[in-house]
Amino acid sequence: MVNETQHTCSASSSSRSDGGSSSGSESSKDNSRCSTPVLDADRHERLREKMRRRQDAGDKWFSLEFFPPRTANAAVNLISRFDRMGAGGPLFIDVTWHPAGDPGSDKETSSMIIANTAVNYCGLETILHMTCCNQTKDDITGHLQKAKRLGLKNIMALRGDPSGEEWEEEVDGFNYAVDLVKHIRNEFDDYFDICVAGYPKGHPEAESYEADLRHLKEKVFAGADFIITQLFFRPETFLKFMKDCQAIGITCPIIPGIFPIQGYHSLRQLVKLSKLEVPQEIKDVIEPIKDNDAAIRNYGVELAVSMCRELLDSGVVHGLHFYTLNREVATTEVLKRLGLWKEDPRRPLPWAVSAHPKRRVEDVRPIFWASRPKSYIYRTQEWDDFPNGRWGNSSSPAFGELKDYYLFYLKSKSPREELLKMWGEELTGEESVFEVFTCYITGEPNRNGYKVTCMPWNDDPLATETNLLKDQLEKVNRRGILTINSQPNINGKPSTDPIVGWGPSGGYVFQKAYLEFFTSSEIVTALLKVLKKYELRVNYHIVNVKGQNITNAPDLQPNAVTWGIFPGREIIQPTVVDPVSFLSWKDEAFALWIEQWAKLYEEESPSRMIIQYIHDNYYLVNLVDNDFPLENCLWQVVEDTFELLNSATQQ
Amino acid sequence: MVNETQHTCSASSSSRSDGGSSSGSESSKDNSRCSTPVLDADRHERLREKMRRRQDAGDKWFSLEFFPPRTANAAVNLISRFDRMGAGGPLFIDVTWHPAGDPGSDKETSSMIIANTAVNYCGLETILHMTCCNQTKDDITGHLQKAKRLGLKNIMALRGDPSGEEWEEEVDGFNYAVDLVKHIRNEFDDYFDICVAGYPKGHPEAESYEADLRHLKEKVFAGADFIITQLFFRPETFLKFMKDCQAIGITCPIIPGIFPIQGYHSLRQLVKLSKLEVPQEIKDVIEPIKDNDAAIRNYGVELAVSMCRELLDSGVVHGLHFYTLNREVATTEVLKRLGLWKEDPRRPLPWAVSAHPKRRVEDVRPIFWASRPKSYIYRTQEWDDFPNGRWGNSSSPAFGELKDYYLFYLKSKSPREELLKMWGEELTGEESVFEVFTCYITGEPNRNGYKVTCMPWNDDPLATETNLLKDQLEKVNRRGILTINSQPNINGKPSTDPIVGWGPSGGYVFQKAYLEFFTSSEIVTALLKVLKKYELRVNYHIVNVKGQNITNAPDLQPNAVTWGIFPGREIIQPTVVDPVSFLSWKDEAFALWIEQWAKLYEEESPSRMIIQYIHDNYYLVNLVDNDFPLENCLWQVVEDTFELLNSATQQ
């Protein structure tokens, strides 16, 4: 009677498997389970488990390699690239280790900080490379401890290129990658997943191909979990290598490293560094077109696609690792043609999750940071746990010094000149600020012909979901209700809805309508009169930069504004309007006027004074319509407010 | 601009008032707030605060006094009376202290246990009386500690009647109620709310009315929170007393004790005990009708109503305390005529809340005990906290010994003879069991002409909500799907809905359809085949008495089956289908077959063997239809199962 697909458990309740919900045990009290329903196993597995699960499911995957950039600006761009390429669904990314670039430091461009950003702020499963030669044990342990503290869970253990003329083995030193593997396992037990490098043609410095294979086996037996190979040019090179590995007892996953040729010079440089030989048939094609970048790239894509197809068709390859050289186009093209690029519009939660292990239980956030998730993660990075995401008094991080704004992952992607074009070289009054907001909403060019694609509170164009409200938003922004965040009400749409859906399929998602804006004290006075009519239905928080706060929230409790019901689960309520965190958000939201906008202009200039005036005198307002099954009444609230103002003016 | 009705708080988030949600601070971690949304301030206030809030709101209230019964059967009846009279909305009840009846013991009939039951199992705010004369300090401290441990929060501090011929003051002993008040405040600080007795005519043993008032003032100044008076016959007696109290500086609430005359003899006895004199005008009416109980009771009701009206109309009386003599009719009648009896169909949560202070954060329960809330409270009484109500492994109380069933508050209200009439003097096969279930559902008399008003799993007739499913339930019970618990699906009905609503107004409540039943292994085999068609939509748990458990619940997570969305609140999900607690419930549900039903019959009798057969061979099944916005598919699942069985039979 018991069917294979059914779970069967034995009589005693104590025999309940702890596998599935083991995540709970860490944070739960002794006599209860974790309060976080496990929505997404993915968030709770380690990389090697994910790899195994995908392989078992016959599900092909890919991963992407990046190197740390040289400048802070390049770092900002790389992080946008992480976000864009992350959308295609890599199983992981990895960040190389540049001994010359102070890789373990806190510099914006260090390997450590780039990997940290990928994990924590972009939510990507990330492997940090680490080399060991010419380093002391203490250095290495220090790097590993720091990586662990930052939430990194995977290390690619490498020897690295010896510096200096003549490299000599040090006794008891780190001479080979295997020493690093052993050290990690000794000092950190099973905490890290460890990856090591494989050389399909043998390491250039190895005595022989066979000797190199034996070294690889040593690394695996010392505790490595999987292997990524050096690039190669022919699929048979990899397939032979894999067979040879298996023949000597290497059974862990071996992932081929794919290098789509993207240009003549980058190929030559790489070949020089890796001491590989480019096969004659490739040279024959490339040499004649070496000055035609597009032609070479097209050829590189073709070549990579055909090699990848052959590898995947072999049946023994389940994942492909791409050497991106920090470029986007060629790799994305190859992945799309292979059908591996899977932009999944479904989100596990309505906000961007972080991949830090301690954040895997995070399941609630205040709505305020909806467009600034990286800022939210930054400001809560010291939290030790995420108890339903509610901010207590003591958990409100004081809004830090202004340097926070200059943290590269919070910086605007656009340079000053572009911002000035979008937001106005010269402002003539509050009205010209209204215009900027309106143009951002409509997507129409401003009076100087430039599109406004970002705002201080939102570094990206309007979200698809917000687009649902576009017409109303335009109308109110024109009149000085300067909206920075909003969501429509949703009364039970399928969780697979491409615009508002999130979470596993088979569920239903709900929202209360939300509207957040800056506006003048004159409008606030009228608004408060209007709000009396909506007492139970609309909750509001109204605050100015000094912190004068007017609200009708009962007992200052959070108000759930996004929630979902799923088969066989508890209710998930990932977004709340939280009165405590709103006062922290207020500091950030007002500061953005000055830091991102006013400071574009000279001190004492009229433009700067206009922004300063708004900063000093406007209110930040948020409104929630609690009656989600009815038509959103917030537009009516605003309409009534304008009417009241008009009638007052006419009297 | 700031309106009086709005909360205004100052700039810093740390200045957030802790008043409203102070309840959270106890159980919350340092950097978070309590996970329990405060749905009902009532659950979090102490009695004196509730009293003040009601008085401030101009909201009149009443309270009820009971004495502990002599026998266990009488205790079962008294507890049903608590449930019925509790429905009228008393602010509190109180339980008198009978020194002769071992009042602090664990006996079913002790004052302590009756008060414990009222608080924990009936959810009533309760005052336990306590007398102090002829008792040691240690005795008294022991009683108070026990009361605190059981969740009692209010004590009526009394001297009690001295035993023995000649009572003499003991040096350093407890000679007067004031000593007890002082002792409570010394030893328990502000934990208890303390009530003391006032004598509108002066205590019979006091030197004078004035001297007695001074004693009363001493008791209040020693720490009493309010006063309940001895009974009196004329409103002016009380009003004068109140004025006299105020004149000497007694400012706490003074609650008049009302005694509706219910019979000639009880009046005479009470008068004798309290040494009061019945006014001539009352004697004149009563003496001629002293043998006509109904006439006396009618007169008593009239008299009480008119006295209460006068007291309430005086403007100084906000609450009335009734000496019920453990009877229901007269007091209820008076309260209804005064308009104080308020059966509020709105429930704070969809299950009966307990008034134990540690349970005030309880906000989730498994659905299984829906009809046996007292059993659920009993089985979780040792829990120290209620972390979202989820049962972890270690929190599953092993299902105890059979004596649990004999705990008086879990006993059936019906005697054996009645049960036999309802459930059959003699069973002839499984079919006759099906019949009993069917009659319980339909409300039709059984073949012997008796209505089946209770079942082993449900001591009360079918709930109004279940009635919505009556037709379908009848059909399936006839065919051997023996239902013991069910709820319809609800897609967003107003929280004020008289049948399925709960929680504060302005909200919406939701349910997933639920069906729980016993059935034969033959039906289970067919059911499992049918369920494959409903894989994602229907979650099931199927278990037999030995604990063989078949389920498709993901990771054994709880499934929320009742939830509510309210203005300005987080989501409340008070009922779950919890896989861990289901295995505990299973033990109880199967045991009820034997303990409540099989044991009605002689050992080895055919009737007993039929029930034993069902107990040993049937399965307990629960089904949840996750797709709450669609029509409940569980009836179709059952229909398909019967069809499959039929077609199998026909082949």
Side-chain angles (χ1 to χ4, degrees), chain A residues 65 126 151 164 191 194 235 255 438 523 531 582 628:
Chain A
E65 182 163 314
T126 301
Y191 176 79
I194 302 176
I255 306 146
T438 309
I523 290 180
L531 281 170
F582 183 59
F628 63 94

Side-chain angles (χ1 to χ4, degrees), chain B residues 321-381:
Chain B
H321 184 71
F322 286 84
Y323 293 105
T324 67
L325 302 187
N326 286 14
R327 297 190 203 158
E328 223 169 315
V329 179
T331 301
T332 307
E333 172 75 13
V334 172
L335 286 166
K336 284 183 174 167
R337 289 189 42 194
L338 291 170
L340 291 179
W341 182 269
K342 284 172 190 155
E343 284 199 39
D344 189 350
R346 286 180 311 161
R347 306 165 290 173
L349 284 166
W351 32 261
V353 302
S354 166
H356 194 295
K358 76 175 180 181
R359 293 189 92 106
R360 67 187 180 187
V361 296
E362 182 182 16
D363 63 352
V364 189
R365 285 189 193 167
I367 195 170
F368 317 120
W369 282 267
S371 301
R372 294 176 61 76
K374 291 184 174 70
S375 166
Y376 182 75
I377 292 167
Y378 176 71
R379 295 188 61 177
T380 58
Q381 65 185 343

Side-chain angles (χ1 to χ4, degrees), chain A residues 102-350:
Chain A
D102 204 357
S105 76
D106 286 336
K107 282 201 308 193
E108 298 155 350
T109 53
S110 77
S111 301
M112 186 73 80
I113 293 303
I114 294 293
N116 163 57
T117 307
V119 167
N120 288 291
Y121 295 92
C122 305
L124 296 168
E125 181 79 57
T126 301
I127 302 178
L128 175 63
H129 289 218
M130 207 171 274
T131 62
C132 62
C133 80
N134 299 325
Q135 294 207 71
T136 68
K137 199 177 219 176
D138 283 354
D139 283 345
I140 288 174
T141 302
H143 291 325
L144 289 165
Q145 277 166 343
K146 183 170 183 173
K148 183 177 174 184
R149 207 169 52 241
L150 294 176
L152 290 159
K153 297 164 294 181
N154 313 294
I155 300 290
M156 173 114 178
L158 298 165
R159 186 189 71 175
D161 296 317
S163 61
E165 295 289 293
E166 279 295 302
W167 174 69
E168 279 180 34
E169 285 196 22
E170 294 172 50
V171 182
D172 290 336
F174 289 92
N175 297 307
Y176 298 101
V178 66
D179 301 324
L180 180 53
V181 175
K182 284 178 184 164
H183 178 73
I184 297 173
R185 284 286 173 250
N186 278 340
E187 299 285 315
F188 295 86
D189 201 15
D190 203 34
Y191 176 79
F192 290 104
D193 278 15
I194 302 176
C195 172
V196 291
Y199 298 87
K201 289 275 198 183
H203 192 279
E205 292 170 24
E207 311 94 86
S208 68
Y209 176 76
E210 288 71 24
D212 195 49
L213 279 182
R214 283 194 302 274
H215 290 314
L216 181 58
K217 184 173 171 179
E218 270 178 56
K219 292 195 279 190
V220 172
F221 278 60
D225 296 297
F226 50 95
I227 296 162
I228 294 179
T229 77
Q230 178 60 287
L231 66 92
F232 51 88
F233 293 99
R234 292 179 181 132
E236 54 271 27
T237 309
F238 176 81
L239 295 171
K240 173 180 182 303
F241 171 71
M242 200 163 169
K243 221 168 136 185
D244 294 339
C245 285
Q246 284 164 346
I248 63 163
I250 296 174
T251 56
C252 70
I254 304 175
I255 306 146
I258 309 296
F259 173 69
I261 297 170
Q262 306 192 49
Y264 186 72
H265 294 288
S266 62
L267 175 63
R268 273 184 51 143
Q269 205 187 348
L270 199 87
V271 163
K272 197 175 132 202
L273 279 173
S274 60
K275 302 189 176 120
L276 289 175
E277 208 176 310
V278 179
Q280 193 55 47
E281 69 267 23
I282 295 180
K283 282 188 190 152
D284 289 348
V285 178
I286 281 185
E287 283 296 335
I289 56 170
K290 67 180 180 187
D291 296 322
N292 183 342
D293 286 353
I296 291 198
R297 203 172 52 225
N298 285 344
Y299 170 68
V301 167
E302 285 299 336
L303 194 67
V305 167
S306 104
M307 185 163 81
C308 290
R309 285 227 172 94
E310 204 164 321
L311 289 169
L312 294 172
D313 290 349
S314 75
V316 297
V317 171
H318 307 284
L320 301 168
H321 185 70
F322 286 84
Y323 293 106
T324 67
L325 303 186
N326 284 14
R327 295 191 204 159
E328 223 167 317
V329 180
T331 302
T332 307
E333 173 75 14
V334 172
L335 287 166
K336 284 183 175 167
R337 288 188 42 194
L338 290 170
L340 291 180
W341 183 268
K342 282 171 192 158
E343 283 199 38
D344 188 351
R346 287 180 311 160
R347 306 164 291 173
L349 285 166

Side-chain angles (χ1 to χ4, degrees), chain A residues 277-451:
Chain A
E277 208 176 310
V278 179
Q280 193 55 47
E281 69 267 23
I282 295 180
K283 282 188 190 152
D284 289 348
V285 178
I286 281 185
E287 283 296 335
I289 56 170
K290 67 180 180 187
D291 296 322
N292 183 342
D293 286 353
I296 291 198
R297 203 172 52 225
N298 285 344
Y299 170 68
V301 167
E302 285 299 336
L303 194 67
V305 167
S306 104
M307 185 163 81
C308 290
R309 285 227 172 94
E310 204 164 321
L311 289 169
L312 294 172
D313 290 349
S314 75
V316 297
V317 171
H318 307 284
L320 301 168
H321 185 70
F322 286 84
Y323 293 106
T324 67
L325 303 186
N326 284 14
R327 295 191 204 159
E328 223 167 317
V329 180
T331 302
T332 307
E333 173 75 14
V334 172
L335 287 166
K336 284 183 175 167
R337 288 188 42 194
L338 290 170
L340 291 180
W341 183 268
K342 282 171 192 158
E343 283 199 38
D344 188 351
R346 287 180 311 160
R347 306 164 291 173
L349 285 166
W351 31 261
V353 302
S354 166
H356 193 296
K358 76 175 179 182
R359 293 189 92 105
R360 68 187 180 187
V361 296
E362 182 182 15
D363 62 353
V364 189
R365 285 188 192 168
I367 195 170
F368 317 120
W369 281 268
S371 300
R372 291 178 61 76
K374 291 185 173 68
S375 166
Y376 182 74
I377 291 168
Y378 176 70
R379 296 187 61 178
T380 57
Q381 65 184 343
E382 300 301 331
W383 285 16
D384 283 330
D385 56 355
F386 295 84
N388 298 352
R390 292 170 193 87
W391 287 38
N393 284 330
S394 55
S395 66
S396 314
F399 183 64
E401 307 110 80
L402 291 182
K403 77 170 171 56
D404 290 358
Y405 282 101
Y406 298 106
L407 274 169
F408 68 107
Y409 38 77
L410 299 182
K411 264 176 81 171
S412 173
K413 283 176 298 211
S414 310
R416 180 171 178 273
E417 312 77 62
E418 249 178 66
L419 295 177
L420 279 170
K421 281 180 189 159
M422 290 195 267
W423 302 344
E425 302 277 353
E426 214 185 313
L427 301 174
T428 53
E430 292 165 65
E431 298 286 335
S432 42
V433 172
F434 300 178
E435 257 183 60
V436 176
F437 276 84
T438 309
C439 289
Y440 173 70
I441 296 293
T442 59
E444 301 291 318
N446 65 16
R447 62 174 60 190
N448 300 314
Y450 295 103
K451 287 201 177 184

Side-chain angles (χ1 to χ4, degrees), chain B residues 42-161:
Chain B
D42 231 46
R43 269 177 100 184
H44 297 265
E45 281 174 336
R46 45 198 304 168
L47 179 51
R48 64 191 185 204
E49 287 163 4
K50 287 184 194 175
M51 222 174 260
R52 190 167 44 228
R53 190 163 53 86
R54 295 283 286 261
Q55 176 168 340
D56 290 349
D59 206 2
K60 308 296 185 197
W61 52 265
F62 68 94
S63 53
L64 304 169
E65 182 163 315
F66 299 93
F67 56 80
R70 299 225 183 115
T71 66
N73 268 345
V76 171
N77 288 332
L78 181 59
I79 287 154
S80 308
R81 185 161 299 130
F82 285 171
D83 285 338
R84 286 192 303 271
M85 295 190 82
L91 185 64
F92 62 87
I93 70 152
D94 59 330
V95 177
T96 60
W97 187 259
H98 280 204
D102 203 357
S105 75
D106 286 336
K107 283 201 309 195
E108 297 155 351
T109 54
S110 78
S111 300
M112 186 73 79
I113 293 303
I114 292 294
N116 163 57
T117 306
V119 167
N120 288 291
Y121 296 92
C122 305
L124 296 168
E125 182 80 56
T126 302
I127 302 179
L128 175 63
H129 289 218
M130 206 170 276
T131 63
C132 63
C133 80
N134 299 324
Q135 293 208 69
T136 68
K137 201 177 219 174
D138 284 353
D139 282 346
I140 289 175
T141 302
H143 291 324
L144 289 164
Q145 277 165 343
K146 182 169 184 175
K148 184 177 173 184
R149 205 168 55 242
L150 294 176
L152 290 158
K153 297 165 294 182
N154 314 293
I155 299 289
M156 173 112 176
L158 298 164
R159 187 190 70 177
D161 297 316

